[in-house]
Amino acid sequence: MKTTIRPFAKIATLAAAAMLALPASAQEVTLKFHHIWNPQAMASVNLIQPWCDKIAKESGGKMKCQILPAMSGGGTPPQLVDRVKDGVDDVIITLPGYTAGRFPAMEVFELPFMCNSAEAGARAAWDYLQKYALKEFPGTKILATWVHDEGYIHTRDKQVKTMADFKGLKMRAPTRQTNKLLAMLGASPVGMPLPAIPDAVSKGTIDGFLLPWEVMPSLKLQELVKYDSETDPSRPALYSAVFIFAMNQAKYDSLSPELKKVIDDNSGAAFSQSIGKIWDNSQAAGRKAAQEHGNVLYTIPATELDNWVKSAAPLYIGWVADIEGKGMPAKQMLQDAKDLLAKYKTAK
């Protein structure tokens, strides 16, 4: 028996050595891609799967994704930023605002009434990130950043038409700045990540929530509320939230030059802008779903919104003070963000 085993053992050893000696260009890589949405969500269908298909095609099948939707890889949405930094996940999409106060520089785009175009917001956020915020993401390669389309007000039992209508309402918001905004408008803010909203509305833990239209259909949230209050399009959005599309830096560094180029070709400023367009184009489906369900839609007029803008002014003062306290040029950062938004809004 020994004489038959030895040749096979030798062959196996040689095969293993040959595998180790393969050139970097021949490597095959599977990226563990972890995110918050279910497979039917707009982001899953229009962004995540197409990106994975594209890198697979452009790498000649040498790089592919293992997609883990709806936090199926474990952990919670706020933990995604650390999971990708630590290499538990290879690629993630998340909202930095889920970890309140940890990414203060990028929070500037989550201040109220900043922008009303996801495309312009994405272009501005990318430029701003390069100048001010990359250091907030150690161990992480940011592939794209953007803001979602306009955030609106969705309530179960009472339509919000004026600031006074917020009184007594428990409202969900996704970020620290939107929680502060809700408190200033008279509501009781309740922070929670997206997947927790349906259960919270059903049980009456919250009376409503702030969300863009984009995400409503995938969670059937239009069926859990009766009222949707949009804001006059002549005014900037009530709120926006920042997203990041990020990769573990060590994982990127381990790739061959060939595969790095595939990632580089599918990330960056133009990619961020294209994601912003996806979000801008996503509103119609969610709005239509609400109308078909029989929800009551109302547009808050510009004159009323002007009162809200005045009430929200202390948030800007507070953000500047907070950032200056961290040794950063807050006033210049805020002005740069506004200038970039104006620049790209005009360029559309």
Side-chain angles (χ1 to χ4, degrees):
M1 290 293 291
K2 288 182 180 180
T3 56
T4 57
I5 290 173
R6 281 175 184 163
F8 283 112
K10 190 173 184 181
I11 290 168
T13 302
L14 289 171
M19 288 291 289
L20 290 171
L22 279 173
S25 60
Q27 72 182 137
E28 292 189 2
V29 175
T30 299
L31 300 175
K32 191 162 83 168
F33 194 150
H34 202 187
H35 65 86
I36 60 175
W37 294 284
N38 64 42
Q40 296 76 39
M42 188 282 292
S44 297
V45 174
N46 294 341
L47 171 59
I48 294 166
Q49 191 62 55
W51 186 84
C52 288
D53 291 344
K54 200 159 182 280
I55 66 162
K57 182 179 179 180
E58 292 180 11
S59 68
K62 293 175 185 172
M63 187 160 55
K64 61 184 180 180
C65 297
Q66 176 193 1
I67 300 176
L68 300 170
M71 299 305 301
S72 54
T76 64
Q79 292 171 341
L80 283 171
V81 287
D82 281 324
R83 287 176 64 96
V84 76
K85 174 177 68 73
D86 298 337
V88 179
D89 298 321
D90 298 318
V91 182
I92 58 104
I93 295 178
T94 192
L95 293 86
Y98 279 172
T99 46
R102 182 167 167 184
F103 304 96
M106 289 305 289
E107 255 190 344
V108 70
F109 293 100
E110 296 180 345
L111 290 167
F113 306 106
M114 280 289 281
C115 62
N116 54 5
S117 161
E119 181 183 353
R123 298 180 75 183
W126 179 263
D127 288 0
Y128 176 95
L129 172 78
Q130 309 312 306
K131 185 173 182 180
Y132 291 118
L134 284 176
K135 61 182 177 291
E136 291 190 338
F137 301 94
T140 307
K141 181 176 178 62
I142 305 297
L143 305 184
T145 187
W146 68 97
V147 302
H148 59 58
D149 52 300
E150 292 196 51
Y152 296 125
I153 305 156
H154 311 276
T155 45
R156 195 176 63 168
D157 302 315
K158 174 185 176 185
Q159 186 120 47
V160 173
K161 295 183 177 182
T162 68
M163 199 189 308
D165 293 328
F166 278 109
K167 188 174 181 180
L169 294 182
K170 293 172 291 184
M171 297 289 295
R172 176 268 181 184
T175 68
R176 180 171 72 152
Q177 294 299 335
T178 39
N179 273 319
K180 290 179 179 180
L181 172 64
L182 283 169
M184 287 182 168
L185 296 177
S188 297
V190 181
M192 66 178 65
L194 178 66
I197 296 176
D199 186 59
V201 178
S202 298
K203 291 180 177 177
T205 306
I206 56 175
D207 299 303
F209 46 85
L210 302 185
L211 270 186
W213 282 121
E214 164 265 316
V215 78
M216 300 276 286
S218 66
L219 295 176
K220 298 183 178 179
L221 289 171
Q222 74 278 2
E223 298 176 13
L224 299 177
V225 294
K226 298 175 186 175
Y227 304 102
D228 305 285
S229 299
E230 299 179 307
T231 51
D232 188 298
S234 70
R235 297 296 186 268
L238 178 65
Y239 87 100
S240 293
V242 174
F243 290 87
I244 57 162
F245 191 140
M247 184 174 186
N248 174 263
Q249 184 69 53
K251 187 70 174 182
Y252 174 82
D253 292 341
S254 74
L255 298 177
S256 67
E258 172 191 13
L259 296 186
K260 280 180 182 173
K261 185 178 186 304
V262 173
I263 296 295
D264 294 345
D265 289 347
N266 291 281
S267 61
F271 182 51
S272 295
Q273 181 182 357
S274 71
I275 299 173
K277 284 184 180 178
I278 290 171
W279 255 255
D280 277 337
N281 293 334
S282 70
Q283 297 184 45
R287 195 174 196 277
K288 182 180 178 184
Q291 289 174 315
E292 289 177 347
H293 187 256
N295 289 18
V296 180
L297 273 65
Y298 177 78
T299 300
I300 300 164
T303 50
E304 172 63 21
L305 288 172
D306 289 342
N307 297 325
W308 300 21
V309 172
K310 290 176 186 174
S311 295
L315 287 179
Y316 287 78
I317 298 168
W319 182 84
V320 167
D322 182 34
I323 297 299
E324 285 182 340
K326 299 178 189 303
M328 292 184 276
K331 290 177 183 175
Q332 186 61 53
M333 291 163 73
L334 177 59
Q335 191 59 53
D336 281 0
K338 289 180 176 180
D339 289 347
L340 286 165
L341 288 166
K343 170 186 171 182
Y344 288 124
K345 182 180 179 181
T346 305
K348 281 192 70 180

